[in-house]
Amino acid sequence: MNILLLGYGKMGKVIEQIALSRGHQIVGKIDVTNRHELDTFSRDNVDAVIEFSAPEAAYENLKWCMNKGLPTVCGTTGWLHHRAEIEQLCQAHGAAFFYASNYSIGVNLFFRLNKYLAKLIAPYPQYSVHTTEIHHIHKLDAPSGTAITLAEGLIEHLAAKTEWANQADVAENQIPIVSLREGEVPGTHVIRYDSAVDSIEIQHVAHSRQGFALGAVVAAEWLSPRKGVYGMDDLLGED
Ligand SMILES: NC(=O)C1=CN([C@@H]2O[C@H](COP(=O)(O)OP(=O)(O)OC[C@H]3O[C@@H](n4cnc5c(N)ncnc54)[C@H](OP(=O)(O)O)[C@@H]3O)[C@@H](O)[C@H]2O)C=CC1
Ligand SMILES: O=C(O)C1=N[C@H](C(=O)O)C[C@H](O)C1
């Protein structure tokens, strides 16, 4: 498969290694310095785009991909206020668009575990829920996209919770997301329930970026022959 990398930073570089090891070609690596090269790419020479750039860059990048009708896997976080528009453009131009806040298999199992645990806890209001995400100091957005997906899973099952807030002290109806930035941490997410008598905690710890990158390449292989809008449940199968 001919893959165009939109964004060639920490993730772009790991994705490149994994794509090459799976027999794919990287036909372009676009960052802020060489965006003019985009003109040379089209459906004729690109089978899939993998977009991991920056929150403020993703919207323009994705518009370009959708207008060209390109199958595009996006992992960039912090741009989702534009999601509906990108999905409309995808349908209008016969493109394919795949988004996940986290491409690792482990985190996607963790998303399901999080919902299941919330369902179990829901009848017991003595438990209060807290979430924490820890990432490297270079991360531009907070909270992490993964933490937002986890909070959305909690909101689905905890009737008293209607929104999240990116702080420790929150109103009764809010889920607290505490964001910590430490060294080179690839990504840690913790869900904790406390009552007066005990605590229950689940956590996912990424040891490297390999799991995110492998998931993105597998998603690109799956997406390339398709048209339409997809996410991890389409790739992995419904719960
Ligand atoms: N969904 C998932 O599984 C995961 C998502 N992410 C998300 O992916 C994104 C990227 O992460 P990461 O690789 O660590 O970030 P980096 O900062 O290491 O890399 C970002 C890259 O994007 C480039 N870039 C910035 N603006 C543009 C633009 N306008 N056009 C093209 N390229 C651009 C940067 O170029 P330059 O170097 O020239 O500035 C850089 O090469 C983040 O939003 C992060 O949260 C990360 C890991 C997993
Ligand atoms: O910026 C990162 O590094 C990561 N971003 C994603 C997020 O915001 O959830 C996924 C992963 O946690 C790493």
Side-chain angles (χ1 to χ4, degrees):
M1 213 166 56
N2 286 342
I3 297 178
L4 172 63
L5 296 178
L6 260 179
Y8 190 59
K10 292 182 283 301
M11 278 302 295
K13 292 183 174 87
V14 185
I15 289 167
E16 175 182 34
Q17 286 168 11
I18 289 178
L20 292 174
S21 76
R22 292 173 71 88
H24 303 303
Q25 290 84 43
I26 304 298
V27 292
K29 306 168 196 178
I30 305 293
D31 61 18
V32 281
T33 60
N34 63 346
R35 287 186 61 80
H36 56 277
E37 289 178 22
L38 280 178
D39 294 340
T40 60
F41 296 108
S42 69
R43 199 68 180 92
D44 295 337
N45 52 10
V46 174
D47 298 308
V49 179
I50 303 185
E51 205 277 350
F52 280 71
S53 64
E56 74 284 2
Y59 174 57
E60 289 302 326
N61 285 344
L62 294 172
K63 272 201 298 191
W64 178 86
C65 295
M66 296 301 102
N67 287 331
K68 291 261 181 179
L70 291 167
T72 303
V73 166
C74 172
T76 307
T77 49
W79 64 275
L80 287 187
H81 44 293
H82 293 299
R83 186 173 184 162
E85 185 188 339
I86 295 301
E87 290 181 355
Q88 274 163 15
L89 277 178
C90 174
Q91 306 291 11
H93 292 274
F97 179 63
F98 193 115
Y99 179 75
S101 61
N102 198 305
Y103 280 89
S104 93
I105 296 289
V107 162
N108 283 277
L109 298 178
F110 189 66
F111 285 153
R112 292 177 181 192
L113 181 63
N114 173 53
K115 287 188 189 185
Y116 182 62
L117 182 57
K119 224 184 283 184
L120 293 181
I121 298 261
Y124 303 101
Q126 63 268 41
Y127 286 97
S128 58
V129 66
H130 309 268
T131 77
T132 306
E133 54 102 347
I134 312 169
H135 282 85
H136 52 92
I137 55 171
H138 317 285
K139 187 161 175 60
L140 297 177
D141 55 319
S144 67
T146 305
I148 294 172
T149 305
L150 287 164
E152 288 168 352
L154 294 171
I155 289 165
E156 223 176 287
H157 294 289
L158 301 176
K161 306 295 176 189
T162 56
E163 58 187 38
W164 55 264
N166 195 199
Q167 56 198 47
D169 292 325
V170 295
E172 273 295 300
N173 67 319
Q174 292 176 323
I175 290 165
I177 306 179
V178 172
S179 297
L180 304 176
R181 298 292 172 257
E182 296 174 4
E184 298 299 330
V185 174
T188 294
H189 292 87
V190 184
I191 309 291
R192 183 182 171 95
Y193 294 89
D194 289 311
S195 78
V197 297
D198 58 6
S199 299
I200 302 172
E201 187 175 291
I202 56 171
Q203 69 170 327
H204 179 275
V205 181
H207 298 315
S208 72
R209 294 186 170 82
Q210 295 282 322
F212 311 138
L214 175 61
V217 174
V218 169
E221 291 166 355
W222 183 89
L223 186 71
S224 182
R226 293 180 159 81
K227 290 181 191 303
V229 174
Y230 302 98
M232 288 303 272
D233 282 341
D234 300 302
L235 179 62
L236 299 177
E238 287 292 335
D239 205 352

